[in-house]
Amino acid sequence: QVQLVESGGGLVQAGGSLRLSCAASGSIVNINAMGWYRQAPGKQRELVARITSAGTTNYPDSVKGRFTMSRDNAKNTVYLQMNSLKPEDTAVYYCNADLLEYKGISYVRRWGQGTQVTVSS
């Protein structure tokens, strides 16, 4: 069974920083792209950052220049460094991974359970 576990969320003042981590574990053969999404109350889940297996990243304009995603392939872990946080960044942050599981025949997308990030003004 594959698990993705996020950590690092919390309460921070506007202008502050947080670093989220997401570790994938279990019967994993290979991980392709990984991503961070967020969902605020009453809003749709939206992409925050994405990173390919080669380390290429992309970000929406709303976080570009403030958020940085990185990955440690040896640890099956991704990170999201969030700087200059704003109240509108408040949301539950989820990571996902496109991965091939042991005895799997194709890549599937798995999600973590989410971690709350709250930015106070």
Side-chain angles (χ1 to χ4, degrees), residues 37-40 44-46 48 62-63 67 89 91-93:
Y37 284 70
R38 67 186 180 188
Q39 188 166 20
Q44 288 189 329
R45 191 172 295 190
E46 62 176 358
V48 175
S62 58
V63 306
F67 290 10
D89 294 318
V92 178
Y93 284 68

Side-chain angles (χ1 to χ4, degrees), residues 36 38 46-50 58-65 67:
W36 285 100
R38 67 186 180 188
E46 62 176 358
L47 174 71
V48 175
R50 191 156 175 82
N58 67 282
Y59 310 92
D61 288 343
S62 58
V63 306
K64 198 173 293 183
F67 290 10

Side-chain angles (χ1 to χ4, degrees), residues 26-74:
S27 301
I28 299 170
V29 174
N30 189 56
I31 299 178
N32 197 354
M34 298 184 75
W36 285 100
Y37 284 70
R38 67 186 180 188
Q39 188 166 20
K43 294 188 176 180
Q44 288 189 329
R45 191 172 295 190
E46 62 176 358
L47 174 71
V48 175
R50 191 156 175 82
I51 189 167
T52 68
S53 57
T56 301
T57 53
N58 67 282
Y59 310 92
D61 288 343
S62 58
V63 306
K64 198 173 293 183
R66 300 188 298 121
F67 290 10
T68 302
M69 185 174 185
S70 59
R71 70 189 285 170
D72 183 335
N73 289 330

Side-chain angles (χ1 to χ4, degrees), residues 2 5 7 14 18 20 25 37 43-45 48 52 54 56-57 60 78 89-90 92 94 96 102 105 111-112 114-115:
V2 172
V5 179
S7 61
L18 282 175
L20 306 183
S25 63
Y37 284 70
K43 294 188 176 180
Q44 288 189 329
R45 191 172 295 190
V48 175
T52 68
T56 301
T57 53
V78 291
D89 294 318
T90 295
V92 178
Y94 300 89
N96 68 23
Y102 178 63
I105 59 174
W111 290 84
T115 185

Side-chain angles (χ1 to χ4, degrees), residues 67-108:
F67 290 10
T68 302
M69 185 174 185
S70 59
R71 70 189 285 170
D72 183 335
N73 289 330
K75 296 180 179 180
N76 286 341
T77 298
V78 291
Y79 307 94
L80 184 67
Q81 178 66 45
M82 305 185 294
N83 298 327
S84 302
L85 283 161
K86 304 175 181 180
E88 51 264 42
D89 294 318
T90 295
V92 178
Y93 284 68
Y94 300 89
C95 75
N96 68 23
D98 297 333
L99 50 84
L100 181 63
E101 299 178 354
Y102 178 63
K103 293 188 177 180
I105 59 174
S106 62
Y107 281 79
V108 295

